[in-house]
Amino acid sequence: MEQPVQNRSAEPFRLVVLVSGGGTNLQAIIDAIEDGAIQNAKIACVISNNPEAYALERAKKHGIKACCIRPADFSEREAYDAALLSALQEETPDLIVLAGFLVIVPKIIIHAFEGRIINIHPSLIPSFCGKGYWGLHVHEAALARGVKVSGATVHVVDEGTDTGPILLQKAVEVREDDTPESLQRRIMEEAEWKLLPQAIRMFVETEGKA
Ligand code: GRF
C-alpha cells in the first residue's frame, strides 16, 4: 500500500538518505541544506547497510540521526527488507535519496514509496548502468569503451536496476590520461555533487514547500 505524502506545508520536507560508503553525495546534500541552496528541507535520518560507512560519521558530525541496518543481521532477506521498510515508514519521508547505496531496494519499498525514491548513478544512463555497474566498475567500462564524454544521472528508482525515469543528467569530459579513479573523482565533483541537491530542490519546490 502506497504511503500517503503528508501535506505538512509548514513543516520541512523530510528526506531520508540511504548510504553505503564514503558519503560524499550525502555531504553535498548536507552542505546544500546548510548553505540555503535547498530551502525548507531536512534530513530526518541517514540509513546505511554498512556499519563502517564514513557517511554515518558525516551525519553524526552534523547532528543528523544515523543508523545501520545490516542484511547480515537477518536470517532471511525478507526480514531485512521488512526492517528497512519499517525504519523508513517511521521517518515519514517525503523523498528517499539513494546516495551511493549498494543494496538492491526491495520491491516492497519501491511500492510503498512509488515515485519518491531517487538515485544518483555515475554515468549517462543508458550507458554503463545496470547489474554490475557500480563504483569504479562504471568508470573502468567507460574508459575501456573509449567514450569522450561520461557524466552522472539522477533517476527515479523503479523495480529495475538504474531503469527508472531520468530526472537530470550532466556530462563530464573524459581525458586522455584519465584513470578510473580520476574520472570518478571528476564526475563526482562536476556532476554528482551538483545534480543530487538540484534534484532534491526540484522535489521540494514541486511539493510547494520551498
Ligand atoms: C560513488 O562511486 C558514486 O559515484 C556513486 O556511489 C559511490 C559512493 O559515493 N554514486 P559516496 O561518496 O558514498 O556518495
Side-chain angles (χ1 to χ4, degrees), residues 21-26 99-100 120 122 135 184 188 192:
T24 63
N25 281 286
L26 167 67
I120 178 89
Q184 176 181 57
M188 290 167 102
E192 294 181 45

Side-chain angles (χ1 to χ4, degrees), residues 75-155:
S75 53
E76 303 289 326
R77 188 48 184 255
E78 289 68 28
Y80 165 77
D81 295 350
L84 183 57
L85 175 60
S86 64
L88 287 167
Q89 287 167 328
E90 226 157 270
E91 299 300 335
T92 60
D94 295 304
L95 183 67
I96 296 167
V97 182
L98 309 186
F101 189 58
L102 296 178
V103 173
I104 300 291
V105 180
K107 288 187 174 45
I108 52 168
I109 293 176
I110 305 273
H111 296 151
F113 297 97
E114 191 92 33
R116 287 191 290 125
I117 307 174
I118 61 173
N119 179 49
I120 178 89
H121 182 76
S123 76
L124 295 176
I125 289 176
S127 298
F128 314 115
C129 65
K131 201 165 163 35
Y133 288 102
W134 55 278
L136 281 177
H137 301 302
V138 174
H139 310 293
E140 287 159 359
L143 293 174
R145 184 64 187 82
V147 295
K148 304 306 174 197
V149 173
S150 188
T153 303
V154 178
H155 64 92

